[in-house]
Amino acid sequence: MTTSNIPNRVQILKDNFKNSVGLPFRELLPEATIQEALNTLEIKYRRRLFDPFVTLWAFLSQVLDADKSCHNAVSRVIAWLAGENVELPSQDTGAYCQARQRLPEKLLQQLFTKVAQGLQNKVTQEELWCHRHVKIIDGSTVSMPDTAENQKIYPQPSTQASGCGFPLAKIGVLFSLATGAAIALVSDMLNTHDVKLARRLYEVLNPNDVLLGDRAFCSYADLVFVKKRQADAVFRKHQGRKQELRRGRIVGCCDKQVVWHKPKTCPKGLTKEEFATLPLTLTVREVHSYIAIPGFRTQQVSLITTLLDTKAYSTLELVKLYEFRWDVELDLQHLKTTLGMDVLRGKSPEMVRKEIYVYLLAYNLLRTLMWEAGTAYGVLPLRLSLQATRQHLDNFIPQLLATTGNKRHRIYHILLAMIVHKLVPQRPGRSEPRVRKRRPKAYPVMQQPRSILHQQMANA
């Protein structure tokens, strides 16, 4: 390999990235933005084939592909260079894997944040809820390879025998209600409570935001923390708080203002300094709603909110807003099932976190495509299918690579039209029985380490 060939090959791959996978990112994530982030973080890199730009492209295409192996990613790089008059790189994955390890975690985090903010800036006032940005919060878990490093930082559940389980990480994600894009992420070990993760995400809230969440986040301290960010919250009432029918001032049908008092003792998860800063009282609204949908386990819901203006935020608007809380479950399902983030491949905690950020970056890439397609053809972007968007993008990439100029833009608009063609049907109140039809394989659960099982097979 000669040094003179490297810049030429790198430029070819950069052009391919901008012309295909990078096309939707031309405004949100241009090469100049990546270079600016590298300069801000004072990241220096050598002139080699897998520089930060090419590595990021390959990493993005890797998580978007159904085959997420490093070998497939390197094969794609070779295929994109095969038609050019340059020396082809080795098929060995070592250089690419080392390049991924060199990518700083802060760089991926910063780029993910920039893309999320860029997409958020495209939302108009008419597309907001009561002219306010709503952000939905929730937590989930992801699995990773069973290595000693991963087990140390993200240990497997304590109920599983050593060597019989996989390390699990708890993640907390903040999504935009208007765009469906992921805005912020935090991660920790499995036994971390959702509220602990949520309090780290409150720093992302902007003034005038509305935070939507389930009852796990509905505590006195959390409502105060959200208000300190000059934002508001809409949470489902926690089951541990008693129903006080006679207290409060009625402000509407099934709607009243209630004064909450500071807890007498410091709750778990709060420091004494944080507890001392809490006000003695907090006025909230409590909205009661009934659910008459067959098959739903929940028959009635009590909402707690800091939105006290009944004219600007009516009871009906608050109830309708909470119905969108289910969207965060679908967004997490898209990340974990549609894109395959449920089972990660990183063999170290650092690579696991990098992989998660690249998944979120790829997810926001698809959301960007859906937004551009929806706004171009007058369709609500949230009604478009993320899986179909991913499939169309994968199928159109070879055509985008093979063309230039106006023809490429014409093909790109055909791609947007194909994405709009696949609408997710609106099925309000839909419910299905919680049963499985397909029977799983009748293999027993692994309850001993693999080494012991191998020894038992050898002695049999």
Side-chain angles (χ1 to χ4, degrees):
M1 182 188 304
T2 60
T3 306
S4 59
N5 283 335
I6 293 179
N8 188 24
R9 295 190 301 177
V10 170
Q11 190 59 47
I12 291 171
L13 292 174
K14 285 181 180 179
D15 292 340
N16 286 338
F17 170 68
K18 289 185 290 186
N19 295 339
S20 57
V21 179
L23 186 59
F25 268 3
R26 184 160 293 177
E27 295 180 2
L28 296 179
L29 191 63
E31 184 178 337
T33 301
I34 302 176
Q35 186 63 59
E36 181 184 355
L38 291 169
N39 296 337
T40 302
L41 298 172
E42 298 182 351
I43 298 172
K44 306 295 183 182
Y45 57 93
R46 292 169 54 191
R47 297 176 65 188
R48 61 180 97 199
L49 175 62
F50 287 108
D51 68 356
F53 302 92
V54 175
T55 306
L56 178 61
W57 161 77
F59 210 162
L60 273 171
S61 63
Q62 184 179 2
V63 300
L64 281 171
D65 201 296
D67 181 357
K68 304 184 185 304
S69 64
C70 291
H71 183 273
N72 186 44
V74 173
S75 175
R76 185 181 294 106
V77 171
I78 296 175
W80 282 22
L81 290 172
E84 308 292 338
N85 188 23
V86 294
E87 182 181 353
L88 298 180
S90 170
Q91 298 181 32
D92 186 76
T93 60
Y96 171 61
C97 292
Q98 291 174 12
R100 292 200 317 168
Q101 292 175 350
R102 287 193 300 268
L103 275 180
E105 183 180 338
K106 289 185 177 180
L107 172 66
L108 299 176
Q109 182 180 6
Q110 190 173 116
L111 292 176
F112 154 67
T113 304
K114 276 185 173 292
V115 172
Q117 291 175 347
L119 185 54
Q120 192 81 354
N121 292 337
K122 291 177 175 288
V123 182
T124 63
Q125 286 291 320
E126 292 74 19
E127 294 163 327
L128 300 177
W129 179 81
C130 295
H131 303 290
R132 298 184 67 170
H133 285 280
V134 177
K135 296 174 180 177
I136 318 178
I137 189 171
D138 204 2
S140 187
T141 58
V142 290
S143 174
M144 63 197 73
D146 188 10
T147 64
E149 291 181 83
N150 287 340
Q151 287 281 11
K152 183 178 180 180
I153 304 300
Y154 304 114
Q156 68 184 46
S158 57
T159 56
Q160 292 179 326
S162 178
C164 298
F166 292 93
L168 293 176
K170 174 71 73 68
I171 60 172
V173 190
L174 204 63
F175 291 92
S176 167
L177 176 63
T179 65
I183 299 173
L185 165 90
V186 290
S187 61
D188 212 323
M189 60 179 60
L190 178 63
N191 60 0
T192 305
H193 197 279
D194 288 350
V195 171
K196 186 176 179 181
L197 295 177
R199 288 170 184 165
R200 291 159 57 185
L201 288 172
Y202 294 161
E203 301 174 0
V204 185
L205 294 177
N206 298 318
N208 210 40
D209 280 349
V210 176
L211 183 64
L212 182 62
D214 62 15
R215 56 190 175 191
F217 310 100
C218 187
S219 71
Y220 186 93
D222 287 272
L223 291 171
V224 172
F225 292 154
V226 173
K227 288 295 294 180
K228 284 184 177 180
R229 301 292 302 180
Q230 301 179 35
D232 287 288
V234 178
F235 298 144
R236 184 179 174 185
K237 187 177 182 180
H238 195 275
Q239 68 274 15
R241 184 171 286 272
K242 295 181 180 180
Q243 187 78 9
E244 298 175 344
L245 299 177
R246 297 185 179 182
R247 294 188 179 182
R249 180 172 65 89
I250 297 176
V251 294
C253 180
C254 300
D255 192 347
K256 62 181 180 179
Q257 283 190 7
V258 183
V259 177
W260 282 12
H261 296 273
K262 179 180 177 179
K264 296 181 180 180
T265 58
C266 181
K268 293 181 180 180
L270 283 183
T271 63
K272 292 184 179 180
E273 292 76 14
E274 290 174 332
F275 181 68
T277 61
L278 299 180
L280 296 178
T281 61
L282 177 68
T283 304
V284 298
R285 278 174 69 188
E286 181 172 348
V287 177
H288 196 70
S289 174
Y290 291 91
I291 301 176
I293 301 177
F296 270 49
R297 292 175 296 177
T298 304
Q299 301 299 320
Q300 53 187 8
V301 173
S302 291
L303 305 180
I304 300 298
T305 179
T306 55
L307 297 168
L308 304 181
D309 190 343
T310 56
K311 293 183 179 180
Y313 317 102
S314 65
T315 306
L316 184 60
E317 286 292 339
L318 290 172
V319 172
K320 287 182 177 180
L321 175 63
Y322 190 75
E323 291 178 1
F324 290 112
R325 198 212 67 82
W326 181 252
D327 288 3
V328 73
E329 307 285 351
L330 301 178
D331 294 335
L332 285 171
Q333 183 180 359
H334 284 317
L335 274 170
K336 296 177 63 176
T337 304
T338 306
L339 296 185
M341 197 181 80
D342 189 24
V343 179
L344 302 174
R345 292 173 172 265
K347 295 183 178 181
S348 67
E350 184 182 11
M351 277 307 303
V352 164
R353 291 190 294 270
K354 291 180 185 179
E355 196 173 351
I356 292 175
Y357 279 121
V358 175
Y359 266 107
L360 293 174
L361 196 57
Y363 170 79
N364 283 348
L365 164 62
L366 296 177
R367 285 294 183 186
T368 305
L369 265 176
M370 295 162 67
W371 185 268
E372 292 190 1
T375 53
Y377 290 92
V379 178
L380 185 65
L382 294 178
R383 286 203 58 198
L384 302 179
S385 170
L386 188 134
Q387 177 69 298
T389 302
R390 173 193 173 183
Q391 293 168 347
H392 291 318
L393 177 61
D394 287 341
N395 294 333
F396 270 72
I397 282 177
Q399 293 297 324
L400 291 169
L401 282 174
T403 56
T404 58
N406 294 332
K407 186 176 180 181
R408 179 188 297 132
H409 283 279
R410 183 178 64 82
I411 294 176
Y412 180 62
H413 283 286
I414 294 175
L415 168 62
L416 298 183
M418 293 287 291
I419 292 173
V420 171
H421 181 72
K422 184 65 174 178
L423 292 177
V424 177
Q426 289 182 322
R427 294 171 289 191
R430 177 179 179 236
S431 61
E432 296 288 343
R434 301 174 73 89
V435 295
R436 292 183 301 168
K437 181 178 180 180
R438 192 171 298 279
R439 273 60 172 173
K441 301 294 183 181
Y443 293 111
V445 177
M446 185 175 178
Q447 296 181 344
Q448 291 179 313
R450 194 175 299 274
S451 58
I452 296 179
L453 295 177
H454 280 163
Q455 186 177 0
Q456 291 177 355
M457 291 172 61
N459 296 334

